[in-house]
């Protein structure tokens, strides 16, 4: 088995654990490269089927290409898509910096959807190498009341024995591609021929490395207009993946504040 | 050049005592390999400047605000870098004692370890503890760094001292010297991280990076016996797909698989997949697969598939070396959820053999294992389990213990002193012995971890029967026994409220108590009865009906002593003629001619009596696997 086979097998194992252990399960899908890989892995785990709802928290501010992608692949991949709404910005904590506050709408939308549908667990496509607080995540990450993440006292997790039972009222996030890198994602997309939004590919010297809301996400300088060129670019780049995501950089702890409150 | 998709990857954990410089080493390492994005470098520079510090490498790993303020790493983080040889994933483990659970979380997935030791302060408590845990976690390859060489003037003599002490300890816990490299470095100044250091010209060994690259690539456990723990069974279309990840060995379409512990067999009809080119006919360790079988046998999560000749061990009891992370101590007799492979059962701590002091490797007997300690214990499960010894199959020979929804410990399995309970010869037969569908008493005993029976106390009123029965019950219960007391006064208020103290009623009283006690004993409980039961014939009748359960305990406190105590004032009333038919005063007591145990309350303290009673129970109600083998019946 090569490296991609190994990490693929680990992710499938985790997705199957979640499906077996969590009774009301959903998988988050944002139409980005990571969550497309996640849906793809679910189809691999269940031999072409996805046996749980695919959940999208719609901020209403995604780029048009992303909505077009959603509308095409929800049918092509035969997904049971559940779309959740986000509250308006004036209902969000005004002490947060502007872009962070905007991103926090998604947290509130997520909480409302979890409540409405009664999900005990949501599978999410975050990765350790994206960002410092995500690096500290568990594969099965319990959230207390209101979706809070207590990063100071996380339960131990080792030997592929995940915490899959929780006290009543607990919600769990499951992170099957936590151990993947950005390069792993691209090499896997290449190998499996997974469709992507074409915003990732350079046009006029710019491309998006990470996709989010249109007003707080910015493209980076790049000439990479094919997967091969993107992989070559990532092998040498010194720019952080989320450098184009404004809420990560407004203050030292802005992203940490978002995540402790339940952001992905 | 090696194609990128097939590049090897090695996971390394960084461990060591708090403040010995782990995060700084990590910062150096990823900077030296060009893995630190300039943006991150600039951000850390800004953060350091804001706090009035020189460039603080530790900020890189301590990415959370809370950690920066406390100056210690709270949790493990992972970061990637690469050399010409291969890719690396670095796990930075916290050194603070309270954070052992996070260290274990990080270290458990590693292929090799960097053990950081302060060259000035030398080996400390956590240096030893972490090294010992690496050993339990199965990490054999270690690069030990004697760090902060700048603080000891880059002196060779000091390096040699620390190296000797380190190698002696690592050797004592079973790490082969060939698997350990010791490198002198300065994290602060970057000496011997990636390039030779002119300040340590006396050192001719590899740099840190060279020592890492020299670690052999771990190989998947393809050559071990096949182990496919069943994760789930899916019914898709017309297919019934058995899903799981192969933990060891390999399987082929057409192989006959043995499912343990049910001991059913079936052949692999197909390996299912989606979006692959062509049907697969073989799969090996590390792969998550789905298979179909040629027969519709009952298979469920928790079972493990193997080949016939190399089946896992079947046992409901095993020995384990554990590390304990629970806030409450692990106690003898306590029950925990035992999770291993895809199995999840309840298990009881039958015995704590010893707690190991990682500082000097001495051990001592104990009743409890405290948080962060390492110990050897014996675990007994309610049912027979399919398991492996850690030394023969590491991934399937380990387990975790769960209490109140949280993992509280991890351990590795040894069968030393315990037999494989698989019945040899039946395995290869396709017509296996049918499973008994009724619950055998032996199964109840296995479930409880002890035999059951009746501890029949007999003696004068005031001899101490009730007091000792209640106390014995409390002690046995705290040791994890299923135990109950039938007491004379309580029974006479309910079940036997219609009976008086005439000889006829006494006979009836004892007969009923005997039957109730036997019913309870047959449901697995150790029943302690506390009745005067003065007539030899009555007791012998109970014994004859339930010979294998009956243990007669003569509470032989002499009549004068009982009468002098007269706790309930009954002797006084009897002497005054207010109570008729009072044993010892106006009715006879026939002592047992050959009781199993005699307790004389006038000759020993209650504590001594109880100690003898407990010892008796632990001896006669212990499970002897040999005698529990079917067709045991009573």
């Amino acid at each position: 088995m090569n490296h991609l086979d190994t990490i693929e097998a680990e992710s499938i194992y985790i997705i199957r654990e979640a499906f077996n252990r969590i009774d009301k399960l959903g998988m988050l899908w944002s139409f980005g490269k990571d969550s497309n890989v996640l849906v793809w892995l679910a189809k691999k785990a269940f031999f072409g089927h996805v046996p749980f709802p695919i959940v999208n928290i719609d901020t209403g501010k995604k780029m048009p290409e992303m909505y077009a992608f959603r509308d095409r692949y929800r049918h092509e991949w035969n997904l049971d898509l559940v779309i959740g709404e986000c509250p308006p910005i004036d209902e969000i904590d005004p002490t947060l910096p502007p872009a962070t506050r905007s991103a926090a709408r998604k947290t509130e939308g997520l909480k409302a959807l979890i409540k409405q549908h009664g999900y005990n667990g949501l599978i999410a496509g975050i990765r350790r190498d994206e960002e410092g607080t995500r690096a500290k995540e568990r594969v099965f990450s319990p959230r207390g009341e209101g979706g809070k993440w207590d990063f100071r006292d996380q339960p131990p997790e080792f030997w592929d024995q995940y915490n899959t039972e929780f006290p009543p009222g607990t919600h769990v996030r499951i992170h099957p591609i936590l151990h993947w890198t950005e390069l792993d994602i691209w090499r896997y997309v290449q190998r499996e021929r997974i469709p992507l939004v074409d915003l990732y590919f350079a046009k006029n010297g710019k491309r998006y490395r990470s996709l989010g809301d249109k007003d707080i996400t910015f493209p980076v300088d790049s000439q990479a207009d094919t997967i091969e060129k993107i992989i070559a670019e990532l092998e040498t780049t010194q720019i952080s993946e989320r450098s184009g995501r404004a809420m990560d950089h407004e203050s030292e702890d802005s992203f940490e504040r978002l995540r402790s409150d339940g952001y992905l | 050049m090696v194609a990128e998709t097939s590049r090897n990857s090695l996971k390394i954990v960084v461990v060591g005592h708090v403040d010995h410089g782990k995060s700084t080493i990590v910062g150096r390492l990823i900077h030296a390999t060009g893995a630190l994005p300039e943006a991150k470098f600039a951000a850390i520079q800004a953060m350091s400047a804001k706090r009035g510090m020189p460039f603080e490498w530790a900020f890189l790993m301590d990415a959370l605000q809370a950690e920066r303020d406390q100056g210690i790493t709270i949790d493990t983080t992972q970061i990637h870098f690469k050399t010409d040889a291969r890719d690396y994933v670095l796990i930075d483990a916290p050194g603070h004692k309270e954070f052992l659970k996070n260290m274990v979380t990080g270290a458990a997935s590693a292929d090799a370890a960097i053990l950081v030791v302060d060259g000035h302060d030398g080996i400390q408590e956590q240096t030893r503890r972490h090294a010992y845990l690496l050993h339990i976690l199965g990490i054999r390859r270690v690069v030990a760094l004697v760090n902060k060489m700048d603080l000891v003037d880059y002196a060779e003599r000091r390096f040699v001292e620390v190296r000797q002490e380190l190698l002696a300890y690592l050797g004592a816990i079973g790490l082969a010297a060939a698997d350990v490299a010791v490198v002198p470095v300065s994290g602060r100044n970057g000496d011997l991280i990636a390039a030779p250091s002119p300040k340590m010209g006396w050192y001719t060994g590899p740099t840190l990076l060279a020592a890492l690259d020299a670690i052999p690539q771990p190989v998947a456990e393809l050559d071990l016996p096949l182990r496919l723990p069943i994760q789930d069974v899916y019914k898709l279309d017309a297919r019934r797909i058995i899903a799981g990840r192969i933990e060891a060995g390999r399987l082929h379409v057409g192989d006959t698989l043995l499912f343990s512990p049910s001991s059913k067999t079936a052949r692999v009809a197909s390996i299912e997949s989606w979006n692959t080119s062509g049907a697969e006919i073989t799969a090996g360790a590390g792969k998550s697969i789905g298979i179909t079988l040629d027969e519709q046998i009952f298979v469920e999560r928790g079972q493990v598939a193997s080949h016939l000749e190399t089946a896992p061990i079947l046992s409901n009891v095993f020995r384990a070396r554990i590390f304990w992370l629970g806030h409450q101590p692990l106690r003898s007799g306590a029950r925990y959820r035992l999770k291993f492979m895809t199995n999840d059962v309840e298990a009881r701590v039958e015995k704590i053999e010893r707690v190991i002091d990682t500082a000097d490797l001495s051990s001592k007997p104990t009743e409890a294992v405290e948080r962060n300690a390492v110990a050897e214990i014996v675990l007994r499960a309610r049912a027979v389990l399919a398991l492996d010894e850690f030394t023969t199959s590491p991934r399937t020979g380990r387990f975790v213990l769960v209490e109140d929804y949280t993992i509280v410990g991890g351990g590795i399995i040894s069968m030393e002193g315990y037999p494989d309970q698989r019945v040899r010869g039946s395995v290869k037969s396709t017509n296996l012995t049918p499973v008994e569908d009724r619950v055998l008493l032996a199964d109840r005993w296995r479930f409880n971890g002890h035999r059951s029976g009746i501890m029949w106390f007999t003696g004068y009123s005031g001899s101490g029967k009730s007091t000792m029965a209640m106390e014995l019950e409390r002690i046995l219960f705290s040791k994890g026994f299923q135990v109950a007391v039938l007491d004379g006064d309580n029974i006479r208020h309910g079940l036997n409220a219609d009976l008086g103290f005439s000889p006829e009623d006494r006979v009836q009283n004892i007969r009923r108590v005997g039957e109730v006690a036997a019913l309870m004993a047959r449901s697995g409980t150790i029943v302690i009865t506390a009745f005067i039961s003065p007539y030899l014939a009555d007791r012998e009748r109970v014994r004859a009906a339930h010979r294998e359960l009956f243990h007669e305990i003569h509470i032989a406190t002499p009549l004068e002593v009982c009468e002098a105590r007269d706790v309930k004032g009954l002797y006084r009333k009897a002497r005054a003629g207010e109570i008729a038919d009072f044993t010892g005063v106006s009715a006879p007591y026939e002592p047992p001619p050959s009781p199993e145990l005699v307790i004389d309350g006038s000759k020993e303290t209650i504590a001594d009596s109880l100690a003898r009673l407990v010892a008796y129970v632990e001896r006669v109600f212990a499970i002897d696997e040999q005698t529990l083998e079917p067709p045991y019946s009573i």
Side-chain angles (χ1 to χ4, degrees):
Chain A
M1 297 220 309
N2 64 32
H3 176 66
L4 287 182
D5 292 333
T6 305
I7 60 175
E8 177 194 62
E10 284 167 0
S11 300
I12 289 173
Y13 184 82
I14 293 161
I15 292 169
R16 286 174 173 172
E17 280 300 279
F19 181 61
N20 182 279
R21 308 313 287 170
I22 310 296
D23 56 347
K24 198 88 169 72
L25 183 69
M27 176 178 274
L28 291 164
W29 185 40
S30 67
F31 337 125
K33 61 187 191 317
D34 302 299
S35 63
N36 286 353
V37 164
L38 198 59
V39 171
W40 196 261
L41 288 165
K43 288 167 83 70
K44 283 234 170 175
F46 306 108
F47 309 97
H49 302 254
V50 182
F52 34 70
I54 296 291
V55 177
N56 174 245
I57 308 300
D58 189 9
T59 57
K61 298 196 299 178
K62 300 292 172 198
M63 296 169 225
E65 294 89 339
M66 296 170 73
Y67 288 117
F69 186 91
R70 174 189 75 186
D71 294 339
R72 174 172 174 192
Y73 285 98
R74 65 184 292 183
H75 299 299
E76 223 161 275
W77 286 344
N78 195 22
L79 304 178
D80 172 15
L81 184 65
V82 175
I83 297 175
E85 306 288 321
C86 296
I89 189 75
D90 52 2
E91 289 180 19
I92 306 297
D93 180 0
T95 70
L96 292 168
T100 307
R101 188 180 176 202
S102 178
R105 288 179 61 224
K106 194 167 159 184
T107 315
E108 296 308 315
L110 183 61
K111 286 182 193 168
L113 188 94
I114 290 170
K115 207 170 162 188
Q116 184 192 340
H117 291 267
Y119 294 120
N120 305 120
L122 283 176
I123 303 174
I126 64 165
R127 306 190 331 266
R128 286 208 170 96
D129 77 326
E130 281 178 278
E131 191 277 324
T133 63
R134 286 181 177 173
K136 288 158 192 296
E137 270 290 3
R138 296 289 192 257
V139 175
F140 277 68
S141 181
R143 306 300 160 113
E145 297 288 340
K148 294 258 190 271
W149 180 47
D150 185 1
F151 61 81
R152 284 181 185 78
D153 189 22
Q154 298 194 65
E157 181 180 78
F158 50 92
W159 291 342
D160 301 328
Q161 294 293 349
Y162 306 110
N163 290 292
T164 52
E165 276 82 39
F166 306 97
T170 311
H171 167 82
V172 60
R173 298 273 178 80
I174 301 111
H175 303 130
I177 58 168
L178 202 54
H179 55 296
W180 292 47
T181 65
E182 189 182 9
L183 260 170
D184 292 334
I185 293 284
W186 280 104
R187 287 180 184 139
Y188 191 69
V189 164
Q190 181 183 40
R191 184 181 93 173
E192 299 285 320
R193 302 174 193 278
I194 302 173
L196 290 185
V197 181
D198 59 10
L199 293 167
Y200 285 112
F201 301 99
K203 280 189 200 74
N204 305 321
K206 295 268 187 194
R207 75 175 194 91
Y208 287 90
R209 264 185 77 184
S210 175
L211 292 178
D213 283 0
K214 58 189 170 195
D215 56 341
I216 55 173
T217 308
F218 305 97
V220 296
D221 292 334
S222 172
Q223 301 298 330
D225 55 4
T226 64
I227 293 184
E228 292 69 27
K229 286 183 192 168
I230 288 173
I231 289 171
E233 176 190 282
L234 293 177
E235 277 167 359
T236 55
T237 187
Q238 293 274 299
I239 312 272
S240 296
E241 181 180 2
R242 292 180 62 88
S243 59
R245 304 293 288 272
M247 69 276 203
D248 291 24
H249 314 292
E250 284 177 322
S251 73
E252 241 178 62
D253 64 352
S254 56
F255 201 65
E256 180 186 326
R257 283 178 68 185
L258 270 175
R259 295 215 73 234
S260 318
D261 195 41
Y263 192 82
L264 293 172
Chain B
M1 185 180 161
V2 185
E4 285 294 334
T5 45
S6 60
R7 271 176 70 90
N8 287 322
S9 164
L10 193 78
K11 280 192 204 165
I12 307 167
V13 66
V14 185
V15 298
H17 198 78
V18 65
D19 288 337
H20 280 199
K22 293 183 299 298
S23 292
T24 308
I25 292 292
V26 170
R28 275 289 168 197
L29 202 47
I30 71 162
H31 189 64
T33 54
L36 181 62
E38 284 305 327
K40 203 113 194 173
F41 183 84
I44 296 164
Q45 230 166 7
M47 264 179 237
S48 305
K50 208 163 107 185
R51 286 172 176 74
M53 305 163 94
F55 190 90
E56 185 55 57
W57 289 104
F59 282 165
L60 174 67
M61 301 304 284
D62 306 347
L64 291 181
Q65 179 81 36
E67 292 179 25
R68 283 195 295 275
D69 292 343
Q70 289 177 12
I72 43 174
T73 311
I74 288 184
D75 208 326
T76 56
T77 58
Q78 304 198 350
I79 209 150
H80 301 256
F81 70 91
K82 58 185 173 183
T83 65
D84 291 339
R86 63 184 155 205
D87 295 342
Y88 288 90
V89 182
L90 251 181
I91 307 158
D92 177 50
H96 196 281
K97 186 177 173 183
E98 261 309 289
F99 301 138
L100 185 74
K101 69 178 163 107
N102 295 325
M103 181 238 151
V104 168
T105 299
S109 66
D111 303 309
I114 297 176
L115 175 62
V116 182
V117 187
D118 186 323
H120 181 264
D121 293 351
I123 293 174
Q124 300 293 320
E125 180 205 346
Q126 287 157 38
T127 316
R128 294 191 183 90
R129 184 188 298 272
H130 286 182
Y132 195 91
L133 282 165
L134 293 177
H135 174 64
I136 292 192
L137 292 169
I139 299 167
R140 297 267 173 272
R141 299 282 177 169
V142 176
V143 176
L145 298 182
V146 179
N147 189 27
K148 306 195 185 181
M149 287 301 291
D150 51 309
L151 296 185
V152 295
D153 300 327
Y154 298 101
E156 180 177 15
R157 202 165 52 88
R158 180 59 187 156
F159 169 69
V160 170
E161 269 172 24
V162 178
R163 182 180 63 182
Q164 262 173 359
E165 199 189 343
L166 252 173
L167 289 176
Y169 183 81
L170 296 179
I173 61 175
L175 279 167
D179 293 336
V180 182
V182 188
V183 184
V185 297
S186 164
R188 177 188 295 267
N189 298 335
D191 295 291
L192 278 169
I193 301 293
S197 166
K199 293 164 196 144
M200 289 180 277
W202 44 264
Y203 174 77
T204 55
T207 62
L208 167 56
L209 268 183
L212 289 177
D213 279 347
I215 295 171
Q217 189 65 29
V219 288
E221 291 166 331
L222 288 170
D223 299 330
L224 294 179
L226 171 69
R227 293 292 181 266
L228 170 62
I230 308 309
Q231 203 178 0
D232 215 333
V233 179
Y234 306 127
K235 291 184 186 78
L236 283 177
D237 321 321
R239 296 171 292 176
R240 189 161 164 276
I241 301 176
I242 318 286
R245 182 174 55 189
I246 304 176
E247 299 295 347
R250 54 173 94 234
L251 66 73
H252 307 267
V253 171
D255 283 0
T256 298
L257 297 186
L258 169 72
F259 293 83
S260 296
S262 74
S263 293
K264 298 244 190 300
T265 58
R267 280 155 58 101
V268 179
S270 69
I271 296 173
E272 299 292 314
S273 56
W274 177 79
N275 199 45
T276 51
S277 50
E280 293 168 72
I281 54 160
T282 181
K287 192 140 179 71
S288 288
I289 61 164
I291 57 172
T292 61
L293 301 174
D294 68 339
E295 270 183 85
Q296 296 295 313
I297 59 168
F298 178 70
V299 173
E300 64 177 344
R301 180 183 167 93
Q303 295 183 349
V304 54
S306 69
H307 290 126
L308 291 175
E309 317 73 49
T310 48
I313 292 161
L314 291 187
S315 181
N316 65 325
V317 58
F318 61 87
R319 199 178 289 279
R321 185 170 293 179
I322 62 155
F323 49 88
W324 187 247
L325 306 169
H327 289 282
Q328 304 298 323
L330 171 135
R331 291 194 183 281
S332 185
R335 292 172 189 279
Y336 301 96
R337 279 191 30 236
L338 168 69
K339 290 175 82 172
F340 62 103
M341 295 188 253
T342 55
N343 215 337
D344 185 343
V345 298
E346 193 176 287
R348 194 175 133 254
V349 179
E350 180 161 279
K351 209 176 346 174
I352 300 173
E353 299 268 21
R354 60 196 192 108
V355 165
I356 300 155
D357 185 339
T358 53
D360 57 7
L361 301 182
S362 66
S363 64
K364 53 176 191 257
T366 176
E367 282 300 302
V369 180
E370 302 293 334
R371 183 171 167 84
N372 297 334
V374 176
E376 278 182 19
I377 64 171
V378 175
L379 281 170
R380 186 176 287 275
R382 298 185 150 197
V384 169
L385 313 171
L387 40 84
D388 285 304
E389 292 198 272
F390 179 77
T391 49
T392 54
S393 186
R395 293 183 61 85
T396 54
R398 62 196 188 185
F399 62 89
V400 301
L401 294 173
V402 175
E403 181 180 33
D404 293 339
Y405 308 109
T406 303
I407 292 174
V408 284
I412 57 180
I413 296 170
S414 156
M415 292 301 295
E416 197 188 328
Y418 293 95
D420 186 350
Q421 293 168 21
R422 190 181 289 279
V423 182
R424 293 293 168 198
S426 71
V427 172
K428 288 174 185 167
S429 162
T430 47
N431 296 313
L432 294 162
T433 317
V435 175
E436 284 282 353
D437 56 3
R438 60 199 178 93
V439 182
L440 296 175
L441 184 55
D443 290 334
R444 294 186 195 277
W445 290 353
R446 276 207 189 90
F447 181 94
N448 290 335
H450 60 79
R451 290 163 172 269
S452 58
I454 304 166
M455 293 282 283
W456 190 283
F457 286 14
T458 174
Y460 288 110
S461 175
S463 60
K465 296 185 301 299
S466 294
T467 309
M468 263 185 282
M470 297 302 177
E471 209 40 31
L472 179 61
E473 180 189 35
R474 188 188 62 79
I475 295 168
L476 293 179
F477 185 79
S478 73
K479 284 175 166 281
F481 285 86
Q482 293 289 331
V483 61
V485 167
L486 293 179
D487 179 69
D489 291 350
N490 299 342
I491 289 284
R492 280 188 171 276
H493 282 121
L495 180 67
N496 291 352
D498 58 330
L499 302 178
F501 289 87
S502 71
E504 292 76 11
D505 280 359
R506 285 184 173 220
V507 169
Q508 182 66 356
N509 182 41
I510 296 308
R511 191 193 68 79
R512 289 186 195 172
V513 168
E515 287 308 309
V516 170
L519 282 174
M520 292 173 70
R522 284 183 200 287
S523 75
T525 302
I526 295 174
V527 185
I528 306 165
T529 64
F531 298 82
I532 298 170
S533 47
Y535 301 115
L536 185 57
D538 293 348
R539 299 192 302 265
E540 283 309 306
R541 204 174 296 117
V542 179
R543 181 193 291 273
H546 311 287
R547 191 167 295 283
E548 66 295 329
L549 297 172
F550 193 81
H551 302 260
E552 193 172 24
I553 315 298
H554 186 199
I555 311 298
T557 312
L559 180 62
E560 317 80 70
V561 177
C562 299
E563 188 163 359
R565 287 178 185 165
D566 203 11
V567 185
K568 300 176 194 165
L570 295 175
Y571 283 95
R572 190 179 48 75
K573 286 184 183 170
R575 293 285 177 201
E578 292 169 38
I579 305 176
D581 300 317
F582 193 80
T583 302
V585 177
S586 47
Y589 178 79
E590 300 169 2
S594 51
E596 271 72 17
L597 193 65
V598 179
I599 301 286
D600 186 342
S602 68
K603 290 190 181 144
E604 59 185 354
T605 64
I606 289 185
D608 289 342
S609 301
L610 283 167
R612 288 208 293 135
L613 283 163
V614 170
Y616 178 81
V617 168
E618 287 184 328
R619 180 164 57 80
V620 304
F621 292 101
I623 286 186
D624 171 4
E625 286 298 339
Q626 302 308 316
T627 62
L628 283 186
E629 286 304 321
Y632 184 92
S633 66
I634 56 176

